[in-house]
């Protein structure tokens, strides 16, 4: 079923409320976008779902099973995570780096087998990184590096993929490439959760969006529902220009809006 | 992938041979010169001749201890560099060497070494264990790597300053000289008693470090990603710190503080085995065993009236070699 359901997630860090009763649901075959202004708590919500930060009253379910009842290794097989701006600490060969995605599937001491190689080849093919496989990972350009790290996450072959800002600092070509990779994963039934700042990509590629502000989920639903002119004004404080290309909607943030409420608060 | 493994073992084999070779040479040379043939026959068919006593009772324990200590230092350096993801880490950064040194100096200061031969290594071991306990108490369970390094450096500095204090109050010049010479490291006159004392701790340490390879590899992608790959970081940290403390603490306890082996060996191993932290654990251990056996051989050369100390030699071999490696690999490490 590849479902992930997170409800009522609350995270406090050093006493400060970062995520406040937020929720997120994703099911097989859809790209769910998690959007919101900087500091809204998007990354922290994802980290709570992944168990990287402790949430109060944690309610995260994988296909209906509470995540606390699933051990670390099984969790790792089910949810792959592409971290924001992911780090590469050692100058490893690209193919070996991507192969790290197979770690959850290996018993201790077992060597990677044929099926693993197949998963690697698939991940490299999807992300168009096959030609990089013998390069040294730390010498890649920003775009190549992002693709390789995405390939590493895809190599896990997990039913759920969580990607935190996978298109940040990429050029338009690579942004579209990453989004298309995510889309092709959903065609095979994977559930994808992706944090995006580019509202246009969110409108075009996501089936559903969760909009966060100040740690709360303020809206969710289809992109048309969530990114209404009203929401854009109150949450992002922008007005947008909208249009259509071949029946696909686009949205272009166009001008800042100074709300009276904000002025009064200051 | 299987090909990669074959290459790995094919490259480990020459290292094993180097260790064996150095070990054999180590049996060959000493204050009494013995012809190689005699050494051979004594090894294969020991009787109770004076030669056999020299080989089996004097040189053999010294050689075994050298191999064990060198391997511990190399392995610990590789494991710590992987955990801290810092190529400058060595067993010193968690404070265990300095604390073991403090324990040893205390034993000399209090005069226990005169009455009970094993007092010194026992005090040193106690120092190592206390510092490990301190490290775990001060850096809490979820401590970041940075906290671990900082607490380790703090403990290390504290132990070094207390060592200086003890040396400052040394009752007489002889005891001060004992302290300094001991801190410079040596394998002179080590016996099976030393092996029996340190051996179990060292081997337990190795055993713990045998389980950390995969976790270290996963850490290449950072702590968050490693955890989402199913790695229990708390367990990994515990295994590494305990493993290093046990093996290095026991090593320092029987042969003094020996620098540079733990720092240099992982770099050397990376030159031939790549940067995957799990792939350089064993090569670093073998390289450390080789380097220390070699250094111990050099201490036996009749160069001057003052016998050369082990720690001095390893630093002299290690430091230039380290610079060479750093200069050679600076492009890749950028």
């Amino acid at each position: 079923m590849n479902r992930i359901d997170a409800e009522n997630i609350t995270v406090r860090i050093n006493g400060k409320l970062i995520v406040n009763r937020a929720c997120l649901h994703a099911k097989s075959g859809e790209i769910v976008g998690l959007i919101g202004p900087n500091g809204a708590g998007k990354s922290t919500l994802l980290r709570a779902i992944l168990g990287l930060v402790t949430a109060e009253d944690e309610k995260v379910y994988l296909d209906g099973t509470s995540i606390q009842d699933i051990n670390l290794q099984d969790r790792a097989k089910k949810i792959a995570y592409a971290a924001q701006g992911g780090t590469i600490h050692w100058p490893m060969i690209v193919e070996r780096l991507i192969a790290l995605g197979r770690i959850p599937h290996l018993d201790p001491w077992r060597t990677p087998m044929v099926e693993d190689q197949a998963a690697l080849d698939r991940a490299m093919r999807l992300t168009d990184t096959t030609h990089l496989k013998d390069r040294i990972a730390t010498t890649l350009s920003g775009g190549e590096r992002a693709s390789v790290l995405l390939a590493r996450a895809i190599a896990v072959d997990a039913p759920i993929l969580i990607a935190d800002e996978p298109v940040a600092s990429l050029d338009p070509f690579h942004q579209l490439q990453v989004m298309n990779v995510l889309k092709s994963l959903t065609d095979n039934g994977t559930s994808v959760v992706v944090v995006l700042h580019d509202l246009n990509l969110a409108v075009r590629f996501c089936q559903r969006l969760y909009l966060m502000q100040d740690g709360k989920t303020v809206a969710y639903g289809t992109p048309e529902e969530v990114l209404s002119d009203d929401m854009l004004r109150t949450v992002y404080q922008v007005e947008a220009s909208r249009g259509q290309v071949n029946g696909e909607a686009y949205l272009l943030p166009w001008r800042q809006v100074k709300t009276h409420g904000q002025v009064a608060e200051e | 992938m299987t090909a990669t493994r074959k290459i790995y073992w094919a490259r480990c084999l020459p290292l094993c041979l180097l260790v064996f070779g150095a070990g054999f040479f180590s049996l060959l040379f000493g204050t009494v010169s013995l012809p190689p043939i005699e050494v051979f026959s004594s090894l294969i068919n020991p009787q109770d001749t004076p030669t056999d006593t020299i080989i089996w009772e004097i040189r053999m324990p010294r050689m075994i201890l050298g191999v064990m200590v060198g391997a511990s230092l190399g392995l610990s350096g590789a494991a710590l560099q992987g955990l801290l993801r810092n190529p400058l880490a060595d067993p010193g950064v968690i404070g265990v060497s300095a604390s073991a040194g403090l324990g040893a100096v205390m034993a000399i200061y209090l005069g226990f070494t005169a009455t009970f031969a094993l007092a010194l290594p026992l005090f040193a071991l106690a120092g190592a264990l206390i510092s490990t306990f301190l490290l775990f108490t001060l850096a809490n369970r979820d401590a970041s790597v940075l906290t671990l390094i900082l607490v380790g450096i703090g403990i290390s500095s504290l132990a070094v300053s207390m060592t200086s204090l003890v040396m400052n109050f040394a009752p007489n010049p002889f005891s001060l000289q004992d302290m300094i010479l001991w801190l410079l490291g040596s394998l002179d006159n080590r016996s099976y008693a030393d092996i029996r004392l340190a051996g179990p701790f060292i081997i337990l340490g190795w055993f713990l470090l045998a389980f950390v390879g995969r976790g270290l590899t996963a850490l290449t992608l950072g702590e968050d990603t490693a955890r989402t790959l199913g790695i229990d970081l708390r367990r990994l940290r515990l295994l590494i710190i305990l493993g290093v403390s046990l093996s290095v603490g026991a090593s320092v306890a029987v042969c003094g503080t020996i620098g540079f082996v733990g720092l240099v060996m992982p770099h050397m191993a990376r030159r031939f085995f790549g940067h995957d932290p799990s792939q350089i654990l064993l090569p670093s251990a073998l390289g450390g065993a080789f380097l220390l056996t070699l250094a111990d051989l050099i201490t036996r050369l009749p160069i001057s009236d003052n016998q050369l100390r082990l720690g001095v030699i390893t630093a002299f071999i290690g430091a230039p070699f380290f610079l060479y490696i750093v200069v050679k690999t600076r492009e890749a490490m950028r």
Side-chain angles (χ1 to χ4, degrees):
Chain A
M1 293 199 295
N2 305 353
R3 274 190 71 90
I4 184 156
D5 301 282
E7 283 159 31
N8 257 332
I9 305 289
T10 299
V11 181
R12 258 176 236 275
I13 294 175
N14 295 331
K16 191 172 184 297
L17 199 57
I18 307 290
V19 177
N20 185 3
R21 298 164 61 85
C23 66
L24 186 76
H25 303 269
K27 59 180 192 293
S28 178
E30 63 174 4
I31 301 184
V32 171
L34 182 57
I35 57 174
N38 287 327
K42 305 179 295 290
S43 294
T44 309
L45 173 61
L46 293 188
R47 286 166 53 79
I49 290 172
L50 289 155
L52 299 174
V53 287
T54 318
E56 295 168 14
D57 185 25
E58 189 162 48
K59 287 190 182 122
V60 181
Y61 300 93
L62 269 183
D63 294 337
T65 312
S66 171
I67 200 141
Q68 267 127 349
D69 299 336
I70 305 173
N71 72 36
L72 273 182
Q73 197 175 6
D74 287 339
R75 247 190 256 184
K77 280 182 207 166
K78 293 216 162 136
I79 312 178
Y81 173 56
Q84 186 177 352
T87 40
I88 302 174
H89 283 286
W90 301 108
M92 273 165 68
I93 302 294
V94 166
E95 190 178 26
R96 290 199 71 125
L97 194 83
I98 295 174
L100 300 188
R102 302 309 299 166
I103 284 178
H105 300 273
L106 298 179
D107 296 327
W109 315 114
R110 215 191 75 182
T111 49
M113 296 208 312
V114 182
E115 62 189 88
D116 289 315
Q117 192 60 51
L120 294 189
D121 290 341
R122 173 173 165 268
M124 289 192 285
R125 200 181 58 242
L126 275 173
T127 54
D128 193 21
T129 50
T130 311
H131 64 288
L132 300 173
K133 70 176 185 178
D134 296 320
R135 291 271 300 275
I136 291 170
T138 45
T139 63
L140 300 174
S141 73
E144 292 168 336
R145 192 184 148 87
S147 305
V148 164
L149 286 170
L150 185 62
R152 196 291 303 161
I154 291 171
V156 178
D157 210 2
I160 297 159
L161 173 69
I162 295 181
D164 196 352
E165 291 198 37
V167 299
S169 76
L170 293 185
D171 59 32
F173 178 88
H174 286 99
Q175 291 194 0
L176 289 172
Q177 186 191 28
V178 166
M179 293 313 292
N180 280 317
V181 169
L182 297 182
K183 195 173 165 203
S184 61
L185 286 174
T186 58
D187 293 342
N188 297 325
T190 309
S191 316
V192 174
V193 177
V194 56
V195 173
L196 288 172
H197 272 303
D198 188 322
L199 300 180
N200 189 43
L201 293 178
V203 167
R204 248 190 96 190
F205 286 93
C206 297
Q207 277 78 58
R208 287 187 311 118
L209 294 177
Y210 285 79
L211 176 60
M212 285 182 80
Q213 187 185 26
D214 299 331
K216 295 190 198 105
T217 307
V218 289
Y220 58 88
T222 62
E224 295 73 35
E225 292 165 355
V226 172
L227 290 176
S228 63
D229 287 342
D230 243 13
M231 274 295 169
L232 285 177
R233 244 194 309 275
T234 53
V235 177
Y236 280 101
Q237 293 162 25
V238 294
E239 277 175 1
S241 159
R242 294 170 193 271
Q244 285 209 336
V245 179
N246 300 334
E248 279 187 282
Y250 71 81
L251 181 158
L252 196 58
W254 196 251
R255 108 167 34 91
Q256 287 170 283
V257 184
K258 285 277 184 247
T259 53
H260 292 293
Q262 193 191 26
V263 174
E265 270 170 36
E266 285 168 356
Chain B
M1 278 298 168
T2 24
T4 343
R5 283 189 80 78
K6 269 189 195 135
I7 292 169
Y8 173 72
W9 289 110
R11 287 179 184 167
C12 279
L13 189 68
L15 269 176
C16 292
L17 294 179
L18 277 180
V19 175
F20 269 104
F24 180 69
F25 269 98
S26 165
L27 297 177
L28 222 51
F29 294 107
T31 28
V32 182
S33 65
L34 299 169
I37 300 291
E38 248 182 82
V39 175
F40 252 126
S41 72
S42 161
L43 280 176
I44 294 159
N45 180 23
Q47 277 130 13
D48 259 343
T49 64
T51 305
D52 292 327
T53 315
I54 290 173
I55 297 291
W56 285 96
E57 296 301 320
I58 298 175
R59 292 184 189 172
M60 189 62 94
R62 178 182 188 150
M63 186 271 276
I64 293 174
L65 215 52
V67 166
M68 290 179 90
V69 169
S72 299
L73 294 172
L75 178 62
S76 298
L80 279 175
Q81 290 187 5
L83 176 68
L84 305 178
R85 281 156 286 148
N86 185 332
L88 290 177
D90 77 345
V93 297
I94 60 166
V96 62
S97 319
S99 307
L102 173 64
V105 168
M106 290 282 284
I108 298 173
Y109 173 78
L110 297 169
F112 289 152
T113 45
T115 46
F116 177 45
L118 289 180
L120 192 150
L122 283 172
F123 263 67
L125 261 178
L129 295 179
I130 290 169
S131 81
T132 311
F133 178 75
L134 257 181
L135 183 64
F136 277 119
T137 320
L138 295 179
N140 72 20
R141 276 151 49 93
D142 288 315
S144 73
V145 159
L146 188 63
T147 313
L148 266 183
I149 300 184
L150 293 177
V151 171
I153 290 174
I155 292 175
S156 194
S157 316
L158 190 65
V160 168
S161 60
M162 283 168 74
T163 306
S164 308
L165 185 70
V166 173
M167 286 161 85
N168 202 160
F169 286 128
N172 55 60
F174 301 109
S175 123
L176 182 62
Q177 194 187 13
D178 277 354
M179 293 174 187
I180 292 172
L181 286 183
W182 187 86
L183 284 177
L184 293 178
S186 172
L187 283 167
D188 276 350
N189 305 321
R190 297 303 189 269
S191 67
Y192 289 109
D194 293 294
I195 295 182
R196 273 194 295 273
L197 178 74
F201 292 100
I202 289 180
I203 287 169
L204 181 59
W206 291 354
F207 178 74
L208 297 180
L209 292 176
F211 293 94
V212 305
R214 175 172 299 173
L216 291 182
T217 304
L219 268 181
T220 303
L221 295 165
E223 301 202 2
D224 278 357
T225 306
R227 282 168 70 181
T228 59
L229 285 171
I231 303 297
D232 184 345
L233 283 188
R234 215 178 274 165
R235 175 175 164 273
L236 184 72
R237 265 194 294 260
L238 188 72
L239 282 175
I240 291 177
I241 289 176
L242 278 183
V244 169
S245 296
L246 287 169
S247 60
V248 173
S251 297
V252 175
V254 289
C255 72
T257 43
I258 290 166
F260 267 99
V261 179
L263 177 63
V264 173
M265 277 310 142
H267 290 270
M268 197 211 75
R270 281 187 203 109
R271 289 272 290 152
F272 301 99
F273 291 84
H275 281 78
D276 180 343
S278 69
Q279 301 290 298
I280 59 166
L281 291 171
L282 181 61
S284 287
L286 292 170
F290 172 69
L291 179 62
L292 205 71
T293 314
L294 194 71
D296 183 42
L297 261 169
I298 295 173
T299 64
R300 289 180 236 170
L301 296 176
I303 292 172
S304 82
D305 292 341
N306 290 333
Q307 209 205 0
L308 279 167
R309 309 299 288 191
L310 199 51
V312 182
I313 310 274
T314 56
F316 256 99
I317 304 177
F321 196 68
F322 179 68
L323 284 174
Y324 168 76
I325 299 270
V326 170
V327 171
K328 284 288 261 189
T329 53
R330 62 186 164 189
E331 290 305 317
M333 290 302 293
R334 185 164 289 166

